[in-house]
């Protein structure tokens, strides 16, 4: 095993990977159908021919730039394992903040303000569902809190491929019957629905910055990354739909790039002048989620 690890690390370093050791350990664990801890604990264990060639094939893919998550077919998000492949963006750790804020909003509304008996479920919409990271995690968290019945979760995407992957992840986490998946350009507009909480991680990379992203990103759908010339083109269109989509006292939580705080404030002031726009920072202090609310009338 040790020899394979050394060869793999050297190969991935040569190919330009900045995490050659970690990648190699993960790929060897994948080839051996075990976990990385086992690899680290038993570096001298023998490796059969089948697993060695499986490892070689995985190394070839990584050396060509493909992300480790696509090769392994899985990515951890908020402590849950998500199936991932080229149909959707690999969920990023920064999006966990969006999920936490959405969960907090739902809990505040269900626990903080007493709701008359027989009230309809709270409606929550995840726009641009991708792999399902936001909607599925939220459904799992609400189930753990015993609040699943109190919330109607919807999720939209323009990409049928992404929606299919999200459905698969929802079923894998036993929340397939808890989320209504819809094909839509941003907010589903075929009915008079209003949502209490809208959460969205839409593409926000400037078009001219997309080719500059790490090579691994070129394996992800460009539709999931490209936010137009200023990076906020898709989000701007969402803002235009919000006043017709949010319930009274509703809130929209929108993930943005760490350098887009002021641009987001300016955009919100232009498109939704009567709304408030607060920015929630990540652990590094960068603005990460814009919180938009209609001013109370
Ligand atoms: C940055 S990815 C986020 C995926 C997932 N929510 C996550 O956080 O990992 C953006 C998603 O928005 C979708 N998308 C892009 N434009 C859209 C539009 N106009 N309407 C709905 N979804 C859109 C993409 O297909 C992609 O799945």
């Amino acid at each position: 095993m040790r020899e394979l690890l050394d060869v793999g690390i050297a190969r991935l370093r040569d190919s330009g990977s900045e995490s050659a050791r970690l990648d190699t350990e993960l790929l060897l664990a994948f080839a051996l159908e075990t976990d990385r801890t086992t690899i680290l604990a038993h570096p001298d264990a023998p490796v059969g021919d089948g697993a060695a060639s499986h490892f070689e094939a995985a190394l070839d893919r990584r050396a060509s730039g493909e992300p480790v998550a696509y090769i392994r077919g899985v990515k951890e998000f908020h402590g849950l394992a998500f199936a991932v492949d080229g149909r959707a963006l690999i969920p990023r750790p920064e999006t966990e903040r969006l999920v936490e804020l959405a969960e907090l909003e739902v809990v505040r509304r269900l626990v903080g303000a007493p709701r008359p008996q027989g009230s309809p479920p709270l409606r929550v919409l995840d726009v641009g569902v991708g792999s399902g990271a936001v909607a599925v995690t939220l459904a799992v968290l609400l189930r753990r809190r015993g609040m699943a019945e109190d919330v109607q979760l919807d999720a939209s995407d323009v990409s049928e491929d992404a929606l299919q992957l999200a459905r698969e992840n929802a079923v894998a986490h036993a929340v397939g019957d808890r989320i209504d998946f819809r094909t839509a350009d941003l907010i589903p507009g075929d009915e008079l629905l209003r949502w209490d909480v809208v959460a969205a991680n839409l593409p926000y990379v400037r078009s001219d910055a997309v080719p500059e992203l790490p090579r691994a990103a070129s394996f992800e759908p460009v539709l999931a990354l490209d936010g137009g010339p200023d990076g906020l083109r898709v989000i701007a269109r969402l803002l235009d739909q919000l006043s017709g989509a949010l319930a009274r006292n509703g809130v929209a939580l929108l993930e943005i790039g760490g350098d887009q705080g002021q641009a987001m404030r300016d955009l919100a002031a232009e498109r939704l002048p009567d709304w408030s726009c607060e920015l929630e920072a990540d652990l590094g202090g960068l603005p990460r989620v814009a919180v938009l609310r209609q001013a109370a009338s």
Side-chain angles (χ1 to χ4, degrees):
M1 194 183 290
R2 198 183 289 278
E3 198 182 321
L4 287 178
L5 281 171
D6 290 344
V7 168
I9 292 165
R11 170 107 195 266
L12 294 189
R13 262 192 200 131
D14 287 349
S15 76
S17 167
E18 285 172 9
S19 49
R21 176 172 294 277
L22 176 63
D23 293 359
T24 306
E25 290 165 358
L26 286 169
L27 294 178
L28 187 55
F30 166 65
L32 287 166
E33 295 179 17
T34 183
D35 54 28
R36 191 171 149 245
T37 322
T38 309
I39 302 280
L40 298 177
H42 306 286
D44 294 315
V47 176
D49 288 347
S53 53
H54 195 185
F55 175 60
E56 285 290 336
L59 271 185
D60 286 345
R61 289 173 68 180
R62 180 68 193 120
S64 77
E66 189 169 349
V68 171
Y70 280 166
I71 301 169
R72 297 174 70 225
V74 68
K75 176 76 182 175
E76 189 183 283
F77 179 82
H78 215 293
L80 299 175
F82 277 83
V84 287
D85 57 39
R87 287 177 288 175
L89 188 97
I90 299 165
R92 307 292 203 265
E94 46 270 34
T95 304
E96 293 181 0
R97 184 87 185 110
L98 178 66
V99 175
E100 285 157 14
L101 290 168
E103 183 192 15
L104 199 64
E105 278 294 337
V106 169
V107 172
R108 265 197 207 132
R109 279 154 202 266
L110 289 177
V111 177
R115 289 158 57 80
Q117 223 178 3
S119 296
L122 214 64
R123 290 203 80 112
V124 179
L125 172 66
D126 172 13
V127 185
V129 68
S131 66
V134 175
V136 172
T137 306
L138 202 51
V140 170
L141 294 174
L142 294 173
R143 183 182 58 203
R144 283 182 196 156
R145 287 181 178 273
M147 292 178 170
E149 302 291 334
D150 303 316
V151 179
Q152 165 62 47
L153 263 168
D154 301 303
S156 73
D157 210 294
V158 266
S159 160
E160 292 292 348
D161 278 351
L163 282 163
Q164 190 50 39
L165 179 60
R167 280 192 197 97
E168 291 165 19
N169 276 312
V171 169
H173 288 289
V175 292
D177 58 343
R178 287 272 145 228
I179 306 171
D180 197 354
F181 292 98
R182 292 140 181 266
T183 308
D185 180 7
L186 302 173
I187 296 195
D190 54 346
E191 48 201 305
L192 291 172
L193 277 180
R194 299 265 173 169
W195 283 272
D196 300 285
V197 180
V198 169
N201 176 20
L202 286 163
Y204 53 72
V205 181
R206 278 194 337 266
S207 301
D208 63 358
V210 172
E212 315 296 322
L213 291 172
R215 191 160 47 136
S218 67
F219 287 78
E220 296 180 291
V222 76
L223 182 64
L225 295 164
D226 191 339
D230 62 355
L232 292 173
R233 194 59 64 90
V234 187
I235 290 178
R237 287 207 299 115
L238 180 68
L239 297 192
D240 291 341
Q241 295 182 0
L242 274 184
S243 36
L246 275 194
R248 231 172 127 252
N249 302 325
V251 63
L253 307 164
L254 314 181
E255 181 170 321
I256 55 170
D259 59 351
Q260 290 175 325
Q262 192 52 50
M264 182 67 220
R265 274 192 204 279
D266 295 345
L267 185 66
E270 178 200 319
R271 306 283 173 127
L272 296 167
D274 298 332
W275 292 41
S276 67
C277 173
E278 284 162 24
L279 300 175
E280 289 284 341
D282 60 18
L283 289 176
L286 295 173
R288 268 293 161 198
V289 178
V291 182
L292 294 142
R293 295 175 203 272
Q294 205 160 8
S297 51

